[in-house]
Amino acid sequence: GPEACERNRRHHPPSAAWRRLGSSGIGGTKVSARGRLTANLGEAFAAARNQYRRARARVTLLKGRWHTAGRKLLSKKQLQLMRLRERLQPVAQSSPSSAELGWHAWFSSRYWQLSDKLEQAARSSRVCQFFSANFRLDPQRIALGFAEGTILYKSTVW
């Protein structure tokens, strides 16, 4: 009844749009509860849309800032790497080759060359891919283990 309406008005004051219209509505006709609900929903939707747009603009701004910071860091790291290479280049040119160091250096460089070749072959081999997929083995480790096993076998048998 009228008491419930009065109590509802006290606890839930009308929105700004309805205060402008007044209680009589447009053209002097009474505004229905459904009309008030539609207006309130429209205002809530507009407010939510504006809040979403503001949040999206903030995200875009932050993405731009992260992108700029990442590019600055990348260029700084690239510059450090370039300077390090420049410093190490004369050292690499002045160091003796593996042939000049002796059999151990030659054997080591040969071992790594062969293990790289074996690793490349293991990556392209269907058998190795089958074992690595089904038994969750790393092809690089399979190749390295095979190379080390071969070296151990040759060193013990011969």
Side-chain angles (χ1 to χ4, degrees):
E3 303 159 350
C5 286
E6 185 60 33
R7 200 174 34 225
N8 191 22
R9 260 187 235 146
R10 273 185 277 149
H11 291 296
H12 303 287
S15 65
W18 287 106
R19 274 189 245 124
R20 280 186 300 243
L21 288 174
S23 62
S24 61
I26 301 171
T29 60
K30 276 254 186 204
V31 178
S32 69
R34 184 176 182 176
R36 283 194 305 264
L37 180 64
T38 304
N40 285 342
L41 285 175
E43 285 180 7
F45 183 71
R49 189 175 349 153
N50 287 336
Q51 187 177 7
Y52 172 75
R53 287 179 182 158
R54 284 192 307 269
R56 191 169 180 174
R58 282 193 306 253
V59 165
T60 304
L61 177 68
L62 289 175
K63 278 185 180 179
R65 287 181 182 170
W66 275 105
H67 183 73
T68 303
R71 297 208 37 108
K72 284 181 182 179
L73 182 64
L74 177 64
S75 63
K76 184 179 177 182
K77 293 295 181 184
Q78 285 175 339
L79 182 63
Q80 287 175 350
L81 182 62
M82 186 177 69
R83 288 180 180 160
L84 180 65
R85 283 184 181 156
E86 287 173 357
R87 278 196 347 232
L88 292 178
Q89 190 174 11
V91 173
Q93 290 174 352
S94 66
S95 66
S97 67
S98 62
E100 297 171 359
L101 291 177
W103 70 270
H104 185 267
W106 175 85
F107 186 78
S108 176
S109 67
R110 186 75 177 143
Y111 167 76
W112 286 111
Q113 286 174 355
L114 292 176
S115 71
D116 289 341
K117 281 184 183 179
L118 195 57
E119 178 187 338
Q120 190 67 23
R123 283 188 182 163
S124 62
S125 167
R126 288 189 176 203
V127 174
C128 226
Q129 288 176 356
F130 171 79
F131 281 114
S132 65
N134 289 328
F135 298 112
R136 295 188 178 131
L137 300 172
D138 185 17
Q140 180 181 3
R141 291 187 179 186
I142 292 173
L144 201 57
F146 186 76
E148 289 176 355
T150 304
I151 290 171
L152 283 174
Y153 170 74
K154 287 187 174 189
S155 65
T156 56
V157 172
W158 299 73

